[in-house]
Amino acid sequence: MSGSVVLLHLAGAVALMLYATRMVRTGVERAYGDLLRQKLRSTMRNPFMAVIVGTALAIALQSSTAVTLLVGSFAGAGIVSGMAGQLAVRGAEIGSALVVKILSFDLTLLVPICIAGGTAIFLATERRTWRQFGRILVGIGLLLLSLEMIGQASEPLRDSKLLPVIIDYFSGDPVTAYLLAALITWLFHSSIAGVLLVVQLAGRGLIPPELGIVLVLGVNLGSSIIAPLLTRGAEPEVRVVPIGNLLMRGLGSLVMLAAFLTFKPSPALIGATSTDQIINAHILFNVIVLVAGIPCSPLVYRASQALVALGTSAKPAESLAMVELSALNQADLGTPSLALANATRETVRVCETVEIMLKRIIELYESADSDKVTALAALDDRVDDKTAAIKLYLAKATIQQMTEDEALRCQELLGACVRLEQVGDIIVRNMLVHVQKKMQRGLEFTPEGWRELSTFHATVLANARLAFNVLISRDPDSARQLVVEKDRLRDFEKETSHSHFARLREGAERSVETSAIHLDTIRDLKQINSLLTSMVYPVLEEQGLLQKTRLKAS
């Protein structure tokens, strides 16, 4: 087999591994992401629990970078402290390393089980959670399959005459090997993929364990760079945690590389086989960084803040990120197709603002202050201004002759604007009032009540994102799925109400104090879900999938 064919097979196997890793992560995020965020918010105030939760979350998402970005956003919102966030990221790195350890075992039998079972689940139901669970299983199966493919694709390299020369060069120049591994990991955007590739090549005897350990240290450097680059345009508070991770993990990998090259410890000390030695070195490195990070957290946190402030001070007083351009180009009103496209773009921006409001309101239920309340109310003013501008723009566009499809799309956008405005009003005029009442009276939900509210809100938020996607894609399957979810939410509301009244009968003091807020919030969220679901009705009507009445024929 020629070298180019071998490299092509290896590239395909690596691409499948990256795709499968992303497939598992997106499946977890779509099915359980909002619930995981709620759990994370409630447990990360304890530094020890922050490490545990970070580890578990990285195993679930198969990405320490995703956890870093998530924790950074929480730190930016003031939900968790920067130091607790950095400890959570330290735990996420260990979780990421444990994923590699789990995948190193012989799991070939799981490949057909996961792919067949996941596909059957995905095709057998319309429920989002179960479909995403099927997606996760398929992703795991493809990930295990990709590891087999990498092993098979690299097998012919044993007989290569060029490979020993390359390996000898990198063994003699570990710094270049270290930097190359960092670059590849940054391109992969996944430390798990980078380490698994090194492990597979070492398992085939293609690279010595000493070089493998150097490459793994480079993988850790590359992984620590990803989150700071992805958040370079974010608010300063959001960037502190990723920068702290870079200081701890990136500089830690440099220190460990220098120590490894200086003292040259035998890899046999940490494992019997080259595969075990490399994986254990990866785990050991992240454990050392965690242990060192506990006493150093205050210092690293202050250094991270200083670096972020240093980069922020050079920015002009008026950030370009705050400048907004309207898509409602008056010159396009003479062409209905262009005018409708412009209105769609502007409506999508309103959807984004409403999504931010819906996300922030549940955070205020947990931790609120007057500044955050004022900021959320200001977002509703933005929604009102934008929807008014869109409605006026569409009214002007209807002066021109439109086709039947264009007229229907115009009505659809007008209806979406009305509903988005109503959602904003519910959040500010109803739910924000509940927040202020809870804050002024110092009330707290019971753990069961808060769990029900968080889960209910997470479901509504997921449905909102699906509705916004349908507004753009007009996909009938997604629209039908949203209506199914609406029916399921109605059943969930009944279960929640029964549980709440059961707690009232038992005389739970906190349930009595927060009863009105709890029930009103559930009602408001249900109303928001109904409004957003109705945005997709035109798509279903166009396909003949919507019944005119729920009543049974007499």
Side-chain angles (χ1 to χ4, degrees):
M1 185 181 295
S2 66
S4 58
V5 175
V6 171
L7 292 177
L8 181 61
H9 284 193
L10 188 59
V14 172
L16 179 61
M17 178 173 61
L18 295 174
Y19 174 77
T21 303
R22 179 179 176 82
M23 191 175 184
V24 174
R25 183 173 70 249
T26 54
V28 172
E29 288 176 344
R30 292 175 184 177
Y32 314 107
D34 295 307
L35 184 58
L36 288 174
R37 290 181 180 89
Q38 299 295 341
K39 296 289 186 182
L40 191 62
R41 276 200 291 262
S42 62
T43 57
M44 268 189 50
R45 291 183 174 86
N46 184 311
F48 176 75
M49 287 302 299
V51 175
I52 300 298
V53 171
T55 302
L57 202 57
I59 293 174
L61 295 176
Q62 295 201 352
S63 172
S64 59
T65 300
V67 179
T68 303
L69 296 174
L70 180 61
V71 172
S73 67
F74 286 160
I79 297 172
V80 299
S81 68
M83 285 187 288
Q86 290 183 355
L87 290 176
V89 173
R90 298 274 60 77
E93 305 296 356
I94 293 178
S96 176
L98 291 176
V99 170
V100 176
K101 184 67 175 180
I102 294 170
L103 294 175
S104 67
F105 297 118
D106 185 9
L107 303 174
T108 52
L109 186 60
L110 290 180
V111 174
I113 295 176
C114 288
I115 294 178
T119 302
I121 293 173
F122 187 85
L123 297 177
T125 179
E126 292 292 332
R127 294 185 62 176
R128 179 194 294 121
T129 303
W130 280 104
R131 286 173 68 88
Q132 295 305 325
F133 179 68
R135 177 190 180 93
I136 294 168
L137 287 180
V138 172
I140 293 173
L142 292 178
L143 179 58
L144 297 174
L145 178 62
S146 70
L147 297 178
E148 290 185 37
M149 292 175 60
I150 290 175
Q152 294 171 1
S154 59
E155 188 67 27
L157 294 176
R158 290 176 181 268
D159 302 324
S160 171
K161 296 180 180 180
L162 178 61
L163 185 64
V165 177
I166 298 175
I167 297 301
D168 288 342
Y169 172 77
F170 283 121
S171 297
D173 188 1
V175 175
T176 301
Y178 169 80
L179 295 176
L180 179 63
L183 176 62
I184 291 175
T185 303
W186 176 77
L187 292 173
F188 284 177
H189 270 46
S190 171
S191 61
I192 292 177
V195 176
L196 285 175
L197 180 59
V198 174
V199 168
Q200 288 297 313
L201 295 177
R204 298 282 168 168
L206 299 175
I207 58 176
E210 293 81 2
L211 178 59
I213 292 174
V214 171
L215 293 174
V216 162
L217 291 174
V219 167
N220 281 279
L221 172 64
S223 179
S224 67
I225 295 173
I226 298 170
L229 289 178
L230 292 176
T231 58
R232 62 187 182 275
E235 297 176 355
E237 295 80 5
V238 176
R239 295 161 54 202
V240 170
V241 170
I243 291 294
N245 183 47
L246 176 60
L247 291 177
M248 287 294 297
R249 196 180 182 196
L251 291 179
S253 69
L254 280 171
V255 172
M256 293 299 293
L257 175 66
F260 183 73
L261 296 179
T262 301
F263 298 105
K264 294 181 170 54
S266 172
L269 296 174
I270 54 175
T273 65
S274 59
T275 298
D276 290 338
Q277 291 163 5
I278 292 173
I279 295 175
N280 293 340
H282 182 46
I283 296 174
L284 180 61
F285 166 76
N286 284 287
V287 170
I288 291 174
V289 173
L290 170 62
V291 173
I294 294 175
C296 295
S297 289
L299 178 62
V300 173
Y301 181 61
R302 288 194 295 271
S304 304
Q305 287 181 311
L307 287 174
V308 170
L310 186 64
T312 305
S313 61
K315 291 184 178 181
E318 183 181 357
S319 173
L320 290 177
M322 299 300 294
V323 177
E324 284 192 303
L325 295 177
S326 174
L328 305 178
N329 189 347
Q330 301 295 319
D332 292 334
L333 286 172
T335 308
S337 59
L338 293 178
L340 290 173
N342 293 339
T344 301
R345 285 173 54 198
E346 198 71 5
T347 306
V348 168
R349 292 179 179 176
V350 177
C351 291
E352 292 171 351
T353 304
V354 169
E355 182 178 344
I356 292 173
M357 294 176 65
L358 194 53
K359 287 175 63 178
R360 293 285 172 84
I361 188 63
I362 198 67
E363 296 170 3
L364 295 183
Y365 270 78
E366 188 176 12
S367 175
D369 57 50
S370 57
D371 291 339
K372 293 179 180 178
V373 169
T374 302
L376 188 63
L379 289 180
D380 184 50
D381 293 337
R382 184 192 301 179
V383 169
D384 291 342
D385 292 342
K386 284 186 174 294
T387 52
I390 294 170
K391 287 185 284 188
L392 179 60
Y393 186 80
L394 289 173
K396 292 179 180 179
T398 55
I399 297 176
Q400 302 296 324
Q401 184 68 30
M402 289 186 173
T403 65
E404 183 178 353
D405 289 341
E406 289 172 343
L408 290 174
R409 180 60 172 171
C410 182
Q411 291 299 318
E412 185 179 347
L413 292 174
L414 284 171
C417 286
V418 171
R419 288 167 178 81
L420 291 170
E421 193 172 355
Q422 290 173 329
V423 170
D425 290 342
I426 292 172
I427 293 174
V428 171
R429 298 180 184 178
N430 295 358
M431 299 181 72
L432 203 53
V433 172
H434 306 330
V435 168
Q436 292 171 318
K437 184 187 298 183
K438 178 178 176 293
M439 181 173 61
Q440 292 167 358
R441 299 181 182 179
L443 302 177
E444 293 293 336
F445 293 107
T446 62
E448 297 82 4
W450 177 243
R451 184 167 55 251
E452 290 170 358
L453 279 180
S454 300
T455 304
F456 201 91
H457 172 270
T459 304
V460 173
L461 182 58
N463 290 346
R465 290 167 176 160
L466 186 58
F468 299 155
N469 289 339
V470 173
L471 183 65
I472 303 169
S473 68
R474 309 194 85 255
D475 176 40
D477 291 335
S478 298
R480 193 158 65 91
Q481 180 184 347
L482 188 58
V483 175
V484 172
E485 292 293 331
K486 178 184 176 182
D487 293 337
R488 192 170 71 86
L489 192 74
R490 186 176 62 251
D491 297 335
F492 185 26
E493 182 210 8
K494 294 178 181 177
E495 296 172 8
T496 301
S497 298
H498 290 158
S499 299
H500 179 72
F501 286 122
R503 290 193 297 273
L504 290 178
R505 286 193 296 271
E506 293 170 1
E509 183 178 350
R510 282 197 286 177
S511 292
V512 174
E513 293 175 341
T514 60
S515 178
I517 296 177
H518 182 103
L519 295 175
D520 287 346
T521 300
I522 292 293
R523 180 204 62 200
D524 293 335
L525 288 172
K526 182 186 175 186
Q527 188 177 357
I528 288 173
N529 189 79
S530 298
L531 286 168
L532 295 175
T533 302
S534 66
M535 286 170 52
V536 308
Y537 286 170
V539 177
L540 296 174
E541 288 174 350
E542 187 177 296
Q543 300 291 326
L545 299 175
L546 195 65
Q547 294 181 353
K548 293 185 178 181
T549 177
R550 286 182 175 273
L551 297 175
K552 292 182 179 180
S554 57

